[in-house]
Amino acid sequence: MPPDPRAATGSWAERPAGVPATVPPPSVPLSFLFAAAVGLVGCGVAWVLARSAAANDPTADPVVAAVHLGVLATLATGILGATHQFAPVITGRPLRSVPLARATLISFVAASWMLPLGVATQQLAVTAISGALTGLALVLLAVNLSGPLAARGKGAPVLALRIALVGALVTGFLGIAFIGDRQGNWFALAGHVDLAMGVLGIFGWLGMTYLGVAEKLWPMFMLAHVPGPKRAGHLAVVGVGSGLLLATPGLAWSITVLAWIGAALMTAGLGAHLWSLTAHVAHRRRKADLHLLFVITAASWLVLGAALSLAAAVSVHKDPQVGTSLTAAAVAAFGGWLLEALVGHSYKVVPFILWSALRSRSISSGPAGKPLMFSDLFDRRAAGAAYVSVTLAMAALCIGLGAAAPTLVAVAGALLAVTGVVVAVSLMVIPLRMIRHASSTTAVTAERAGPASR
Ligand code: HEM
């Protein structure tokens, strides 16, 4: 096949044989994922600092800061890394441009740290700049993804990525309106617009991306071939997408009927997602492993989040304080769904990407001289430790917010920070050691061969 001319600026020119022509350079997804791990450390520290505020008022500024270090600097940054990798791979079309992806990373990461810092320190200028940077990052993202996402006939995963892009744009621009509102109540934002933005951000952007890419990743990582048409995955995307169309305005303008119908459609969609997971688990050929544990634990957070949301909706009129605490706990549980899935998939996706990166540097054998395997590239005990710390962290955060217990919120923060460090270190150390070893071996060989070889 002749090379695709569009691949020149949007894909990895030095890729080794066997890697799809549309894949971006490894540094694109890996830099987003590294920034997400740093974001998790920041988010953990922010929860420790916000522990008392979180117990008294989950809408206080230090809490808003911790929430956004979680949803933007960690989850959205990691998910953007996955989107830059998977959109070209799933569609067979490259990004429009690699430099554009790097500009998206810089502007988005800067925005996602400046927003919480500006909110926590009440520096309006800092929040205003973060709004401008968010807008820039999302426009660059839309331009870059417009190439791959224009592909037709690619099923639920691409439909999900398209909806997620719209979700990202709407959430981002609602967030910018919020920032404007903080400057002087410009938009007189009222009702539950903040909750509508939270729901749209979690399900319409971050969750929607997971609903889509999971349909590609689960068959691969579980070695699961589910027979027949992929109805459950499609229903999940359509159910959650159509539910959001009703639930978001319903929440924003307090139209109760609309909010409940939207919530019911979303619940049906999320139920289909769990049905799809059950089918993949039932048809898997790979033995139960840590990835499966991460994925099932993530799904349990989703179920808990739905139960807590229902409890919050029922109790908010009887006791607003209890309703607010339960809403905060529900948001944390949904965060647990996505964080657990992100960390769990990182231990599959990052070694997968690094494996190609190492082969492009002619590193193709593992520690015992055998062919390099994905599992050679990280420490399994550290991955297990990351599972324990992230699961305990989200449990402590959920209970801490639901029961207004500052100590538990602080414990959750400390564990989140530990998870960020463990994940980043355990995924980087072995590959970096291999690269260092390979370059020192090359240098010694060149030295021995003398100047003629250079
Ligand atoms: C995945 C994306 C997002 C999610 C899940 C999310 C979630 C939330 C939630 C739940 C709240 C209410 C917090 C509380 O009252 O304790 C909130 C408030 C806020 N969000 Fe976001 N958000 C997202 C993205 C953004 C973005 C991109 C921006 C700005 C560029 C932004 C700016 C704000 C601001 C300024 C507030 C505070 C509003 C106030 O003054 O009360 N958010 N967000």
Side-chain angles (χ1 to χ4, degrees):
M1 246 205 313
D4 182 346
R6 289 168 306 178
T9 53
S11 70
W12 185 17
E14 302 84 23
R15 67 187 176 279
V19 172
T22 54
V23 84
S27 56
V28 169
L30 294 181
S31 49
F32 275 99
L33 290 167
F34 178 72
V38 178
L40 188 54
V41 177
C43 169
V45 172
W47 278 116
V48 174
L49 297 176
R51 62 193 181 279
S52 306
N56 294 325
D57 173 14
T59 62
D61 281 350
V63 184
V64 173
V67 166
H68 287 81
L69 278 166
V71 295
L72 296 179
T74 307
L75 294 174
T77 305
I79 280 169
L80 285 181
T83 308
H84 279 86
Q85 175 75 12
F86 291 119
V89 171
I90 294 172
T91 59
R93 289 175 171 222
L95 297 171
R96 289 207 183 274
S97 142
V98 170
L100 213 53
R102 304 210 194 285
T104 307
L105 171 78
I106 294 167
S107 45
F108 191 80
V109 171
S112 61
W113 279 84
M114 286 176 81
L115 175 71
L117 287 176
V119 168
T121 56
Q122 302 196 328
Q123 294 293 322
L124 292 183
V126 179
T127 50
I129 296 170
S130 79
L133 286 171
T134 305
L136 173 68
L138 293 176
V139 169
L140 297 181
L141 175 75
V143 171
N144 218 357
L145 292 182
S146 62
L149 295 189
R152 287 165 185 261
K154 300 286 179 184
V158 172
L159 176 63
L161 289 178
R162 285 186 195 143
I163 298 176
L165 180 58
V166 176
L169 290 167
V170 180
T171 310
F173 287 103
L174 262 177
I176 294 169
F178 257 122
I179 289 174
D181 205 54
R182 285 175 77 90
Q183 313 272 324
N185 209 11
W186 292 354
F187 299 95
L189 294 176
H192 297 296
V193 182
D194 53 351
L195 202 53
M197 182 179 79
V199 169
L200 196 60
I202 289 173
F203 294 100
W205 172 9
L206 310 179
M208 185 58 73
T209 308
Y210 181 48
L211 297 186
V213 298
E215 293 298 318
K216 285 280 172 193
L217 296 184
W218 290 343
M220 190 162 73
F221 294 145
M222 294 185 201
L223 292 179
H225 175 70
V226 179
K230 301 193 181 320
R231 266 196 215 104
H234 197 81
L235 277 177
V237 172
V238 173
V240 174
S242 54
L244 280 167
L245 281 179
L246 303 180
T248 313
L251 280 171
W253 286 291
S254 297
I255 309 169
T256 314
V257 183
L258 214 56
W260 276 108
I261 300 174
L265 280 170
M266 287 174 67
T267 308
L270 294 170
H273 169 72
L274 296 179
W275 169 29
S276 173
L277 174 60
T278 314
H280 281 92
V281 172
H283 288 92
R284 75 184 200 282
R285 279 181 289 124
R286 176 159 280 151
K287 277 194 279 179
D289 61 0
L290 189 61
H291 171 256
L292 186 65
L293 191 59
F294 266 115
V295 168
I296 289 176
T297 312
S300 315
W301 284 116
L302 182 58
V303 175
L304 181 68
L308 286 167
S309 307
L310 189 63
V314 171
S315 61
V316 74
H317 298 295
K318 285 190 217 141
D319 187 337
Q321 180 97 38
V322 172
T324 307
S325 299
L326 286 175
T327 306
V331 173
F334 290 130
W337 168 45
L338 295 166
L339 184 61
E340 201 94 42
L342 180 64
V343 174
H345 282 89
S346 296
Y347 280 102
K348 289 281 184 188
V349 171
V350 172
F352 193 84
I353 297 171
L354 282 169
W355 187 81
S356 309
L358 292 172
R359 281 188 52 229
S360 76
R361 291 167 175 260
S362 306
I363 302 170
S364 54
S365 49
K370 293 192 187 147
L372 188 63
M373 310 285 280
F374 301 140
S375 55
D376 293 331
L377 298 178
F378 66 94
D379 184 321
R380 278 169 213 229
R381 282 164 307 174
Y387 170 78
V388 174
S389 63
V390 72
T391 306
L392 289 179
M394 293 320 295
L397 190 59
C398 238
I399 303 171
L401 291 174
T407 313
L408 276 180
V409 175
V411 169
L415 285 169
L416 287 176
V418 168
T419 307
V421 174
V422 170
V423 173
V425 172
S426 63
L427 285 167
M428 279 166 54
V429 165
I430 296 177
L432 284 179
R433 211 184 286 145
M434 284 180 168
I435 291 173
R436 218 175 308 124
H437 177 73
S439 6
S440 61
T441 313
T442 316
V444 169
T445 315
E447 191 76 20
R448 285 201 188 127
S453 70
R454 276 172 250 158

